[in-house]
Amino acid sequence: MKLQFKITLFFSIVIVALVIIMGALFFGHLEATLDKQLALNALDAAQGVASMPTIQEALSSHEQMDRIQEVVEAYRLKTRFQYMIVIDMKGIQYAYPYPSGLGKPYKNGGESRVLEKGEAYFNKDENALIQAVRAFVPVYDKGKQVGAVVVGIL
């Protein structure tokens, strides 16, 4: 082989490798940015639900609990979020995408921080079946935490 061909081949390989590396870095950054934006959107939606007086009063007084499902489900259907769940301080679900989950304990994990410390946060839920971004926000009524809202997008 001629020296010119070897040099051309070497630089071609270097350029292709650089393009592949730059592409991988770009798509990794794009994925992280997208995940963060989805999480912030979910956090905003959860804040919106947590600040609804109907939700606050129902969780505080334990009256008209069925109203929580009506209000939250109507709100969820206007958004692109797959689920909006409202739980009381014991983790019992009063809003859930499927009526069969109402009145049952929240079992998907990640809620202990919002219930125990009253913190708003988001995390990624990855398992064999789904990948979701979830936001957890406490619900307060008259300065006392009465529950939490979980909003997720697949």
Side-chain angles (χ1 to χ4, degrees):
M1 278 198 268
K2 288 187 172 184
L3 181 61
Q4 182 180 359
F5 179 75
K6 289 180 181 179
I7 293 172
T8 304
L9 182 64
F10 173 75
F11 279 112
S12 297
I13 291 171
V14 168
I15 290 172
V16 168
L18 282 174
V19 168
I20 289 171
I21 291 169
M22 293 300 289
L25 290 173
F26 172 76
F27 284 112
H29 179 70
L30 182 66
E31 181 182 11
T33 301
L34 232 137
D35 283 348
K36 185 166 185 177
Q37 189 58 49
L38 286 173
L40 291 173
N41 289 347
L43 201 59
D44 289 344
Q47 290 280 11
V49 172
S51 66
M52 292 179 179
T54 305
I55 305 301
Q56 295 168 345
E57 292 166 11
L59 283 173
S60 180
S61 68
H62 295 292
E63 295 174 6
Q64 298 182 344
M65 297 303 264
D66 55 333
R67 183 91 174 100
I68 294 174
Q69 173 72 3
E70 294 171 21
V71 171
V72 172
E73 195 59 15
Y75 184 69
R76 184 190 69 83
L77 292 173
K78 295 176 186 173
T79 69
R80 67 183 178 281
F81 297 101
Q82 276 73 35
Y83 57 88
M84 292 183 172
I85 301 168
V86 175
I87 57 176
D88 66 7
M89 292 303 290
K90 295 177 184 171
I92 304 300
Q93 301 170 149
Y94 290 99
Y96 195 76
Y98 306 107
S100 61
L102 295 174
K104 295 181 180 170
Y106 180 76
K107 295 181 183 176
N108 296 331
E111 77 281 1
S112 59
R113 197 163 121 200
V114 73
L115 292 177
E116 293 170 9
K117 298 179 182 176
E119 294 180 28
Y121 57 96
F122 56 85
N123 68 18
K124 251 181 135 171
D125 179 22
E126 296 183 44
N127 60 48
L129 299 176
I130 63 163
Q131 287 188 349
V133 176
R134 305 180 301 177
F136 296 83
V137 172
V139 178
Y140 289 96
D141 186 45
K142 298 178 181 102
K144 179 184 175 200
Q145 185 176 355
V146 293
V149 176
V150 182
V151 173
I153 186 165
L154 302 178

